[in-house]
Amino acid sequence: MQNKEYIVALDQGTTSSRAIIFNQSGEIAGVAQREFKQHYPQSGWVEHDPQDIWSTQFSVLTEALTKSKINSSKIKGIGITNQRETTVIWDRKTGVPIYNAIVWQDRRTAEYCRSISDKGHGPLIQKKTGLLIDAYFSASKINWILDNVKGARKKAEKGELAFGTIDTWLIWNLTNGETHVTDVTNASRTMIFNIQTMAWDDELLEIFDIPKSILPEVKSSSEIYAETSNEILSHQIPIAGIAGDQQAALFGQMCTTKGMVKNTYGTGCFMLMNIGKKPVISKNKLVTTVAWQIGKEVTYALEGSIFIGGAIVQWLRDELGIIKKSADVEKLASSVEDSNGVYLVPAFAGLGAPIWNPDARGTIVGLSRGANAAHIARAALESIAFQTVDILRAMESDAGLKIKELRVDGGATQNNLLMQFQSDILSSTTVRPEITETTALGAAYLAGLAVGFWKDIEEISKQWKEDKKFEPNKKTKTKELLEEWHRAVNATVYWAENK
């Protein structure tokens, strides 16, 4: 008979907070979700109210327990996974944030990052952190808050302020201000954490003018950090796992062997490859990140980001009006055999890895008189797969590894046409798992390992089950299609650079 005990994953995302309760078989026993308000005070600025993040996250935790009729005494541990890089600074005494959370998408510090780059700090920062200088990461956001909130720098130097990514902010609140910690995966996204020494780096702190006193203690991804406060829940529950959302998804997909790769198809796409126990610094404009740390053992990953993935389908729906709902895109795109020579480069927010051109803008090429809505829909879907191939080839080159299969998750993976084309164009197997909530599952697994809910990774690996496997169609003219795609990308870059 199965033990009626559970693990809760708190999945704090960019637009909503969720709580998912998992049983020992890794199945979902309860779930609750709540969206919260996005703030756009100026063009390119994106903020969240940290109190909204905390209140929605706490309310979905209690709601999931109530709805599933599970007593908190049956919860053996809490795992946390979160939107990464988003930055909060608060007063240690009052616990009140001194400014809104600056979200990972925020571009206000782009100019400041350019000035850091112009001083020649790029190679040192990449060597120490695995990251490319960009407003995306936390360091420049911290610097902005300290410089732009009255009296913040003075307070920080006196040790009166605390900085945290969202995992840190949630734990501070869950423990009623008793615990100020983060894990190695979130720390590795700040641009002030040295992934070679696995510690905050004094030289980087000096470059970004950040006092060490505000930083949380860095822990592994799977250990008991603290227990929830008596004032929060009726039973004290160990908080025992933390991982940034993409690293959690890599673990939830059980990509625990060097060379295994997962791609999450959301608004954008995030691809991570397990590169083993030594960090590899990318020569192809990818970032190197900490995948997780269990015990003393650190695992690293290469990561590539596609800015516009599933968002291209929303654009077809909302701006072009050629579909009524997102799910309709598969039927429309399937009504034609191919894209009829149409290529769509969805550089609406610039091009991410491995091009990194922030000035690029979306382009459609190859239009003829016979091109119609179905061809454009098909070209839009194919653009997601093409971008994925470009990142994967860059990863293979950096890591010196050839991939055998791609594990996929996220909303767009329900689109069988896209998944089949992805397999064709990659010339390798694409595998969709039964449980696609891999981000929350990864956080639950990390917490469960720490409290002995699951014995080891081997036991967890047996729970991973495939839903559908897509094998490549040998008849697909992969080489020609990719050559044409790269011509389209080059046209997009040319347009951006020749103003």
Side-chain angles (χ1 to χ4, degrees):
M1 197 181 99
Q2 194 173 50
N3 191 354
K4 288 289 182 198
E5 292 180 333
Y6 305 90
I7 295 283
V8 172
L10 302 183
D11 181 355
Q12 205 300 301
T14 311
T15 57
S16 70
S17 298
R18 293 191 308 163
I20 304 183
I21 304 170
F22 292 96
N23 66 17
Q24 222 147 8
S25 305
E27 297 158 342
I28 293 172
V31 64
Q33 179 168 357
R34 196 161 292 182
E35 290 192 357
F36 55 87
K37 195 177 174 188
Q38 309 290 304
H39 300 268
Y40 307 102
Q42 289 185 34
S43 173
W45 292 30
V46 191
E47 296 178 0
H48 293 154
D49 180 341
Q51 304 291 14
D52 281 353
I53 289 176
W54 163 240
S55 64
T56 54
Q57 191 62 76
F58 179 63
S59 68
V60 291
L61 169 60
T62 53
E63 188 186 330
L65 291 168
T66 307
K67 278 201 315 196
S68 55
K69 298 186 168 63
I70 293 171
N71 190 287
S72 59
S73 64
K74 297 292 180 192
I75 305 298
K76 294 291 115 185
I78 292 173
I80 292 173
T81 183
N82 53 287
Q83 53 165 319
R84 304 171 304 170
E85 297 95 16
T86 296
T87 297
V88 189
I89 297 180
W90 62 93
D91 186 297
R92 285 183 185 275
K93 265 202 193 105
T94 63
V96 175
I98 63 166
Y99 190 78
N100 270 349
I102 301 183
V103 180
W104 58 274
Q105 299 153 315
D106 189 283
R107 303 302 300 167
R108 77 185 67 183
T109 58
E111 210 45 61
Y112 171 74
C113 287
R114 218 164 279 139
S115 74
I116 297 288
S117 200
D118 290 345
K119 286 174 187 162
H121 293 308
L124 173 85
I125 287 171
Q126 190 184 15
K127 188 177 172 222
K128 288 189 171 203
T129 68
L131 308 176
L132 304 167
I133 296 174
D134 198 88
Y136 177 31
F137 305 109
S138 313
S140 62
K141 302 179 197 302
I142 299 170
N143 174 283
W144 190 93
I145 293 173
L146 293 179
D147 279 351
N148 287 275
V149 174
K150 201 177 170 193
R153 229 170 233 298
K154 259 197 186 131
K155 282 184 125 185
E157 277 150 19
K158 285 189 199 158
E160 291 171 9
L161 299 182
F163 150 74
T165 40
I166 297 303
D167 54 310
T168 304
W169 170 243
L170 292 178
I171 291 171
W172 176 276
N173 284 288
L174 283 165
T175 60
N176 209 15
E178 290 294 314
T179 311
H180 187 214
V181 297
T182 189
D183 91 302
V184 289
T185 71
N186 282 291
S188 78
R189 311 298 297 185
T190 59
M191 225 158 50
I192 48 175
F193 182 78
N194 189 324
I195 63 168
Q196 315 277 354
T197 63
M198 299 301 286
W200 299 118
D201 190 284
D202 291 334
E203 196 174 3
L204 298 174
L205 290 170
E206 198 174 320
I207 289 170
F208 290 102
D209 198 12
I210 295 168
K212 208 170 194 173
S213 64
I214 70 171
L215 303 177
E217 189 182 348
V218 184
K219 303 275 200 175
S220 79
S221 312
S222 179
E223 63 177 276
I224 297 171
Y225 314 103
E227 289 188 330
T228 56
S229 159
N230 272 331
E231 294 163 40
I232 300 295
L233 291 164
S234 53
H235 290 85
Q236 289 185 294
I237 303 169
I239 304 163
I242 311 172
D245 53 11
Q246 300 311 320
Q247 291 98 323
L250 189 70
F251 196 74
Q253 282 276 35
M254 283 290 103
C255 292
T256 52
T257 308
K258 188 176 175 178
M260 290 183 80
V261 185
K262 74 90 196 171
N263 194 23
T264 299
Y265 297 75
T267 305
C269 296
F270 291 89
M271 186 186 289
L272 272 76
M273 173 191 270
N274 180 330
I275 54 170
K277 310 301 168 204
K278 285 195 177 131
V280 174
I281 300 302
S282 176
K283 293 181 173 70
N284 291 291
K285 298 184 179 174
L286 302 175
V287 302
T288 309
T289 201
V290 177
W292 53 75
Q293 180 186 345
I294 297 172
K296 296 269 179 255
E297 197 168 77
V298 179
T299 299
Y300 294 90
L302 280 169
E303 178 176 325
S305 311
I306 295 166
F307 298 152
I308 302 291
I312 191 74
V313 178
Q314 294 164 347
W315 178 74
L316 296 176
R317 183 194 67 198
D318 301 340
E319 310 307 327
L320 290 195
I322 61 175
I323 50 172
K324 278 207 165 65
K325 53 184 194 295
S326 294
D328 296 341
V329 74
E330 186 172 4
K331 191 181 174 190
L332 179 61
S334 301
S335 68
V336 289
E337 272 184 35
D338 55 41
S339 71
N340 194 18
V342 176
Y343 288 82
L344 196 165
V345 183
F348 301 157
L351 283 167
I355 309 286
W356 285 111
N357 188 321
D359 301 318
R361 287 297 171 264
T363 312
I364 300 177
V365 298
L367 289 171
S368 64
R369 183 69 182 83
N372 60 32
H375 295 124
I376 291 171
R378 189 161 186 125
L381 285 182
E382 289 181 354
S383 77
I384 301 171
F386 284 132
Q387 292 177 93
T388 299
V389 173
D390 287 347
I391 289 185
L392 197 60
R393 296 292 173 251
M395 281 183 177
E396 288 179 330
S397 167
D398 278 337
L401 297 164
K402 196 95 181 108
I403 76 127
K404 295 180 185 70
E405 69 170 34
L406 175 67
R407 292 191 171 184
V408 298
D409 55 74
T413 59
Q414 295 312 308
N415 187 314
N416 289 332
L417 176 71
L418 171 59
M419 291 300 102
Q420 185 57 57
F421 185 75
Q422 185 70 84
S423 177
D424 295 348
I425 207 76
L426 269 177
S427 304
S428 66
T429 308
T430 298
V431 189
R432 183 172 65 205
E434 264 184 21
I435 294 184
T436 53
E437 293 291 358
T438 50
T439 305
L441 192 56
Y445 281 157
L446 289 165
L449 284 171
V451 296
F453 190 72
W454 291 291
K455 195 170 75 189
D456 51 29
I457 288 175
E458 203 179 325
E459 183 190 344
I460 293 170
S461 294
K462 288 174 187 155
Q463 296 186 359
W464 190 90
K465 291 183 184 75
E466 72 178 49
D467 167 49
K468 192 169 169 63
K469 192 179 266 190
F470 300 86
E471 296 293 356
N473 179 349
K474 298 285 190 283
K475 289 179 186 165
T476 304
K477 292 179 178 169
T478 305
K479 188 169 176 283
E480 290 91 327
L481 288 168
L482 282 167
E483 278 172 1
E484 290 296 282
W485 162 253
H486 290 133
R487 278 182 66 208
V489 172
N490 290 339
T492 303
V493 172
Y494 182 85
W495 171 264
E497 288 176 355
N498 290 271
K499 287 178 180 174

